[in-house]
PDB file of all heavy atoms in Angstrom:
ATOM      1  N   GLN O 167      51.716 -44.283  12.476  1.00 98.00           N
ATOM      2  CA  GLN O 167      52.177 -45.118  11.376  1.00 98.00           C
ATOM      3  C   GLN O 167      51.628 -44.560  10.073  1.00 98.00           C
ATOM      4  O   GLN O 167      50.416 -44.378   9.933  1.00 98.00           O
ATOM      5  CB  GLN O 167      51.746 -46.570  11.562  1.00 98.00           C
ATOM      6  CG  GLN O 167      52.414 -47.262  12.749  1.00 98.00           C
ATOM      7  CD  GLN O 167      52.132 -48.741  12.783  1.00 98.00           C
ATOM      8  OE1 GLN O 167      51.088 -49.202  12.315  1.00 98.00           O
ATOM      9  NE2 GLN O 167      53.052 -49.495  13.350  1.00 98.00           N
ATOM     10  N   LEU O 168      52.518 -44.293   9.144  1.00 98.00           N
ATOM     11  CA  LEU O 168      52.165 -43.762   7.836  1.00 98.00           C
ATOM     12  C   LEU O 168      52.712 -44.723   6.799  1.00 98.00           C
ATOM     13  O   LEU O 168      53.929 -44.850   6.642  1.00 98.00           O
ATOM     14  CB  LEU O 168      52.738 -42.360   7.648  1.00 98.00           C
ATOM     15  CG  LEU O 168      52.428 -41.653   6.327  1.00 98.00           C
ATOM     16  CD1 LEU O 168      50.949 -41.353   6.216  1.00 98.00           C
ATOM     17  CD2 LEU O 168      53.262 -40.370   6.209  1.00 98.00           C
ATOM     18  N   SER O 169      51.848 -45.396   6.103  1.00 98.00           N
ATOM     19  CA  SER O 169      52.249 -46.431   5.158  1.00 98.00           C
ATOM     20  C   SER O 169      52.461 -45.869   3.765  1.00 98.00           C
ATOM     21  O   SER O 169      52.070 -44.753   3.436  1.00 98.00           O
ATOM     22  CB  SER O 169      51.196 -47.554   5.122  1.00 98.00           C
ATOM     23  OG  SER O 169      49.971 -47.079   4.616  1.00 98.00           O
ATOM     24  N   SER O 170      53.110 -46.683   2.922  1.00 98.00           N
ATOM     25  CA  SER O 170      53.305 -46.358   1.506  1.00 98.00           C
ATOM     26  C   SER O 170      53.889 -44.971   1.307  1.00 98.00           C
ATOM     27  O   SER O 170      53.403 -44.180   0.500  1.00 98.00           O
ATOM     28  CB  SER O 170      51.981 -46.500   0.752  1.00 98.00           C
ATOM     29  OG  SER O 170      51.437 -47.794   0.886  1.00 98.00           O
ATOM     30  N   VAL O 171      54.949 -44.677   2.017  1.00 98.00           N
ATOM     31  CA  VAL O 171      55.502 -43.328   1.975  1.00 98.00           C
ATOM     32  C   VAL O 171      56.191 -43.049   0.649  1.00 98.00           C
ATOM     33  O   VAL O 171      56.669 -43.964  -0.039  1.00 98.00           O
ATOM     34  CB  VAL O 171      56.472 -43.078   3.141  1.00 98.00           C
ATOM     35  CG1 VAL O 171      55.739 -43.217   4.466  1.00 98.00           C
ATOM     36  CG2 VAL O 171      57.659 -44.028   3.075  1.00 98.00           C
ATOM     37  N   THR O 172      56.233 -41.772   0.300  1.00 98.00           N
ATOM     38  CA  THR O 172      56.935 -41.265  -0.865  1.00 98.00           C
ATOM     39  C   THR O 172      57.838 -40.129  -0.415  1.00 98.00           C
ATOM     40  O   THR O 172      57.756 -39.658   0.724  1.00 98.00           O
ATOM     41  CB  THR O 172      55.959 -40.750  -1.932  1.00 98.00           C
ATOM     42  OG1 THR O 172      55.385 -39.509  -1.498  1.00 98.00           O
ATOM     43  CG2 THR O 172      54.841 -41.759  -2.184  1.00 98.00           C
ATOM     44  N   PRO O 173      58.724 -39.642  -1.289  1.00 98.00           N
ATOM     45  CA  PRO O 173      59.556 -38.500  -0.905  1.00 98.00           C
ATOM     46  C   PRO O 173      58.768 -37.271  -0.467  1.00 98.00           C
ATOM     47  O   PRO O 173      59.299 -36.440   0.281  1.00 98.00           O
ATOM     48  CB  PRO O 173      60.358 -38.218  -2.179  1.00 98.00           C
ATOM     49  CG  PRO O 173      60.495 -39.556  -2.821  1.00 98.00           C
ATOM     50  CD  PRO O 173      59.179 -40.221  -2.571  1.00 98.00           C
ATOM     51  N   GLU O 174      57.512 -37.143  -0.898  1.00 98.00           N
ATOM     52  CA  GLU O 174      56.689 -36.010  -0.478  1.00 98.00           C
ATOM     53  C   GLU O 174      56.301 -36.087   0.998  1.00 98.00           C
ATOM     54  O   GLU O 174      55.797 -35.109   1.544  1.00 98.00           O
ATOM     55  CB  GLU O 174      55.436 -35.910  -1.346  1.00 98.00           C
ATOM     56  CG  GLU O 174      55.739 -35.529  -2.799  1.00 98.00           C
ATOM     57  CD  GLU O 174      54.488 -35.326  -3.634  1.00 98.00           C
ATOM     58  OE1 GLU O 174      53.386 -35.665  -3.162  1.00 98.00           O
ATOM     59  OE2 GLU O 174      54.614 -34.820  -4.761  1.00 98.00           O
ATOM     60  N   ASP O 175      56.520 -37.218   1.622  1.00 98.00           N
ATOM     61  CA  ASP O 175      56.280 -37.345   3.059  1.00 98.00           C
ATOM     62  C   ASP O 175      57.472 -36.883   3.894  1.00 98.00           C
ATOM     63  O   ASP O 175      57.396 -36.901   5.122  1.00 98.00           O
ATOM     64  CB  ASP O 175      55.942 -38.799   3.405  1.00 98.00           C
ATOM     65  CG  ASP O 175      54.608 -39.231   2.828  1.00 98.00           C
ATOM     66  OD1 ASP O 175      53.617 -38.495   3.002  1.00 98.00           O
ATOM     67  OD2 ASP O 175      54.565 -40.315   2.205  1.00 98.00           O
ATOM     68  N   THR O 176      58.556 -36.494   3.254  1.00 98.00           N
ATOM     69  CA  THR O 176      59.688 -35.936   3.979  1.00 98.00           C
ATOM     70  C   THR O 176      59.251 -34.669   4.713  1.00 98.00           C
ATOM     71  O   THR O 176      58.673 -33.758   4.119  1.00 98.00           O
ATOM     72  CB  THR O 176      60.837 -35.620   3.024  1.00 98.00           C
ATOM     73  OG1 THR O 176      61.343 -36.836   2.462  1.00 98.00           O
ATOM     74  CG2 THR O 176      61.969 -34.897   3.748  1.00 98.00           C
ATOM     75  N   ALA O 177      59.525 -34.613   6.012  1.00 98.00           N
ATOM     76  CA  ALA O 177      59.052 -33.489   6.822  1.00 98.00           C
ATOM     77  C   ALA O 177      59.641 -33.595   8.211  1.00 98.00           C
ATOM     78  O   ALA O 177      60.225 -34.609   8.591  1.00 98.00           O
ATOM     79  CB  ALA O 177      57.525 -33.488   6.913  1.00 98.00           C
ATOM     80  N   VAL O 178      59.470 -32.509   8.969  1.00 98.00           N
ATOM     81  CA  VAL O 178      59.670 -32.566  10.411  1.00 98.00           C
ATOM     82  C   VAL O 178      58.340 -32.954  11.029  1.00 98.00           C
ATOM     83  O   VAL O 178      57.314 -32.324  10.763  1.00 98.00           O
ATOM     84  CB  VAL O 178      60.162 -31.224  10.971  1.00 98.00           C
ATOM     85  CG1 VAL O 178      60.292 -31.301  12.493  1.00 98.00           C
ATOM     86  CG2 VAL O 178      61.503 -30.854  10.351  1.00 98.00           C
ATOM     87  N   TYR O 179      58.350 -33.986  11.845  1.00 98.00           N
ATOM     88  CA  TYR O 179      57.138 -34.492  12.463  1.00 98.00           C
ATOM     89  C   TYR O 179      57.112 -34.112  13.939  1.00 98.00           C
ATOM     90  O   TYR O 179      58.091 -34.291  14.659  1.00 98.00           O
ATOM     91  CB  TYR O 179      57.059 -36.012  12.312  1.00 98.00           C
ATOM     92  CG  TYR O 179      56.712 -36.458  10.913  1.00 98.00           C
ATOM     93  CD1 TYR O 179      57.657 -36.404   9.887  1.00 98.00           C
ATOM     94  CD2 TYR O 179      55.436 -36.922  10.601  1.00 98.00           C
ATOM     95  CE1 TYR O 179      57.335 -36.792   8.596  1.00 98.00           C
ATOM     96  CE2 TYR O 179      55.108 -37.319   9.320  1.00 98.00           C
ATOM     97  CZ  TYR O 179      56.068 -37.251   8.321  1.00 98.00           C
ATOM     98  OH  TYR O 179      55.737 -37.641   7.035  1.00 98.00           O
ATOM     99  N   TYR O 180      55.967 -33.599  14.378  1.00 98.00           N
ATOM    100  CA  TYR O 180      55.777 -33.163  15.754  1.00 98.00           C
ATOM    101  C   TYR O 180      54.626 -33.916  16.401  1.00 98.00           C
ATOM    102  O   TYR O 180      53.629 -34.232  15.748  1.00 98.00           O
ATOM    103  CB  TYR O 180      55.423 -31.676  15.822  1.00 98.00           C
ATOM    104  CG  TYR O 180      56.449 -30.717  15.278  1.00 98.00           C
ATOM    105  CD1 TYR O 180      56.406 -30.318  13.942  1.00 98.00           C
ATOM    106  CD2 TYR O 180      57.435 -30.189  16.091  1.00 98.00           C
ATOM    107  CE1 TYR O 180      57.324 -29.425  13.432  1.00 98.00           C
ATOM    108  CE2 TYR O 180      58.365 -29.290  15.593  1.00 98.00           C
ATOM    109  CZ  TYR O 180      58.298 -28.912  14.260  1.00 98.00           C
ATOM    110  OH  TYR O 180      59.215 -28.016  13.756  1.00 98.00           O
ATOM    111  N   CYS O 181      54.752 -34.165  17.684  1.00 98.00           N
ATOM    112  CA  CYS O 181      53.589 -34.521  18.474  1.00 98.00           C
ATOM    113  C   CYS O 181      53.258 -33.348  19.393  1.00 98.00           C
ATOM    114  O   CYS O 181      54.135 -32.579  19.792  1.00 98.00           O
ATOM    115  CB  CYS O 181      53.783 -35.810  19.267  1.00 98.00           C
ATOM    116  SG  CYS O 181      55.211 -35.884  20.377  1.00 98.00           S
ATOM    117  N   ALA O 182      51.974 -33.198  19.708  1.00 98.00           N
ATOM    118  CA  ALA O 182      51.520 -32.060  20.496  1.00 98.00           C
ATOM    119  C   ALA O 182      50.255 -32.433  21.257  1.00 98.00           C
ATOM    120  O   ALA O 182      49.558 -33.389  20.904  1.00 98.00           O
ATOM    121  CB  ALA O 182      51.253 -30.851  19.599  1.00 98.00           C
ATOM    122  N   LYS O 183      49.958 -31.655  22.261  1.00 97.00           N
ATOM    123  CA  LYS O 183      48.812 -31.909  23.130  1.00 97.00           C
ATOM    124  C   LYS O 183      47.827 -30.738  23.104  1.00 97.00           C
ATOM    125  O   LYS O 183      48.233 -29.581  23.221  1.00 97.00           O
ATOM    126  CB  LYS O 183      49.267 -32.138  24.573  1.00 97.00           C
ATOM    127  CG  LYS O 183      48.148 -32.205  25.604  1.00 97.00           C
ATOM    128  CD  LYS O 183      48.694 -32.390  27.007  1.00 97.00           C
ATOM    129  CE  LYS O 183      47.591 -32.362  28.060  1.00 97.00           C
ATOM    130  NZ  LYS O 183      47.105 -30.976  28.276  1.00 97.00           N
ATOM    131  N   ARG O 184      46.548 -31.053  22.956  1.00 95.00           N
ATOM    132  CA  ARG O 184      45.457 -30.120  23.198  1.00 95.00           C
ATOM    133  C   ARG O 184      44.711 -30.529  24.452  1.00 95.00           C
ATOM    134  O   ARG O 184      44.612 -31.719  24.771  1.00 95.00           O
ATOM    135  CB  ARG O 184      44.475 -30.103  22.032  1.00 95.00           C
ATOM    136  CG  ARG O 184      44.814 -29.140  20.914  1.00 95.00           C
ATOM    137  CD  ARG O 184      43.787 -29.234  19.810  1.00 95.00           C
ATOM    138  NE  ARG O 184      43.969 -28.176  18.825  1.00 95.00           N
ATOM    139  CZ  ARG O 184      43.374 -28.148  17.649  1.00 95.00           C
ATOM    140  NH1 ARG O 184      42.558 -29.119  17.300  1.00 95.00           N
ATOM    141  NH2 ARG O 184      43.598 -27.136  16.814  1.00 95.00           N
ATOM    142  N   SER O 185      44.153 -29.552  25.158  1.00 93.00           N
ATOM    143  CA  SER O 185      43.319 -29.801  26.315  1.00 93.00           C
ATOM    144  C   SER O 185      42.104 -28.903  26.246  1.00 93.00           C
ATOM    145  O   SER O 185      41.996 -28.029  25.379  1.00 93.00           O
ATOM    146  CB  SER O 185      44.098 -29.573  27.616  1.00 93.00           C
ATOM    147  OG  SER O 185      44.454 -28.206  27.750  1.00 93.00           O
ATOM    148  N   GLU O 186      41.172 -29.106  27.152  1.00 89.00           N
ATOM    149  CA  GLU O 186      39.970 -28.280  27.178  1.00 89.00           C
ATOM    150  C   GLU O 186      40.319 -26.813  27.361  1.00 89.00           C
ATOM    151  O   GLU O 186      39.722 -25.935  26.728  1.00 89.00           O
ATOM    152  CB  GLU O 186      39.042 -28.753  28.294  1.00 89.00           C
ATOM    153  CG  GLU O 186      37.715 -28.004  28.345  1.00 89.00           C
ATOM    154  CD  GLU O 186      36.775 -28.561  29.387  1.00 89.00           C
ATOM    155  OE1 GLU O 186      37.246 -29.285  30.286  1.00 89.00           O
ATOM    156  OE2 GLU O 186      35.569 -28.281  29.309  1.00 89.00           O
ATOM    157  N   SER O 187      41.287 -26.516  28.213  1.00 91.00           N
ATOM    158  CA  SER O 187      41.650 -25.142  28.483  1.00 91.00           C
ATOM    159  C   SER O 187      42.460 -24.507  27.350  1.00 91.00           C
ATOM    160  O   SER O 187      42.426 -23.287  27.175  1.00 91.00           O
ATOM    161  CB  SER O 187      42.434 -25.044  29.795  1.00 91.00           C
ATOM    162  OG  SER O 187      43.627 -25.806  29.739  1.00 91.00           O
ATOM    163  N   SER O 188      43.201 -25.304  26.592  1.00 93.00           N
ATOM    164  CA  SER O 188      44.035 -24.766  25.535  1.00 93.00           C
ATOM    165  C   SER O 188      43.304 -24.621  24.204  1.00 93.00           C
ATOM    166  O   SER O 188      43.747 -23.870  23.335  1.00 93.00           O
ATOM    167  CB  SER O 188      45.274 -25.626  25.332  1.00 93.00           C
ATOM    168  OG  SER O 188      44.945 -26.854  24.686  1.00 93.00           O
ATOM    169  N   TRP O 189      42.229 -25.355  24.028  1.00 90.00           N
ATOM    170  CA  TRP O 189      41.530 -25.405  22.753  1.00 90.00           C
ATOM    171  C   TRP O 189      41.213 -24.016  22.232  1.00 90.00           C
ATOM    172  O   TRP O 189      40.717 -23.165  22.978  1.00 90.00           O
ATOM    173  CB  TRP O 189      40.220 -26.199  22.920  1.00 90.00           C
ATOM    174  CG  TRP O 189      39.671 -26.674  21.643  1.00 90.00           C
ATOM    175  CD1 TRP O 189      38.845 -25.989  20.793  1.00 90.00           C
ATOM    176  CD2 TRP O 189      39.899 -27.951  21.047  1.00 90.00           C
ATOM    177  NE1 TRP O 189      38.547 -26.759  19.713  1.00 90.00           N
ATOM    178  CE2 TRP O 189      39.171 -27.979  19.841  1.00 90.00           C
ATOM    179  CE3 TRP O 189      40.629 -29.080  21.433  1.00 90.00           C
ATOM    180  CZ2 TRP O 189      39.163 -29.081  19.010  1.00 90.00           C
ATOM    181  CZ3 TRP O 189      40.633 -30.172  20.603  1.00 90.00           C
ATOM    182  CH2 TRP O 189      39.901 -30.163  19.416  1.00 90.00           C
ATOM    183  N   PRO O 190      41.448 -23.725  20.936  1.00 91.00           N
ATOM    184  CA  PRO O 190      41.906 -24.631  19.885  1.00 91.00           C
ATOM    185  C   PRO O 190      43.421 -24.717  19.719  1.00 91.00           C
ATOM    186  O   PRO O 190      43.891 -25.326  18.744  1.00 91.00           O
ATOM    187  CB  PRO O 190      41.273 -24.006  18.642  1.00 91.00           C
ATOM    188  CG  PRO O 190      41.355 -22.539  18.906  1.00 91.00           C
ATOM    189  CD  PRO O 190      41.095 -22.391  20.391  1.00 91.00           C
TER     190      PRO O 190
END
């Protein structure tokens, strides 16, 4: 949740996973 958005918040949004083996 991102509140008080402005046009500068326009973007492609991704979710991603890190794990102990993948770090960083």
Side-chain angles (χ1 to χ4, degrees):
Q167 293 188 331
L168 181 66
S169 65
S170 303
V171 298
T172 73
E174 293 185 349
D175 293 311
T176 294
V178 177
Y179 286 75
Y180 299 91
C181 56
K183 171 182 176 285
R184 273 179 171 168
S185 65
E186 184 176 18
S187 60
S188 73
W189 198 274

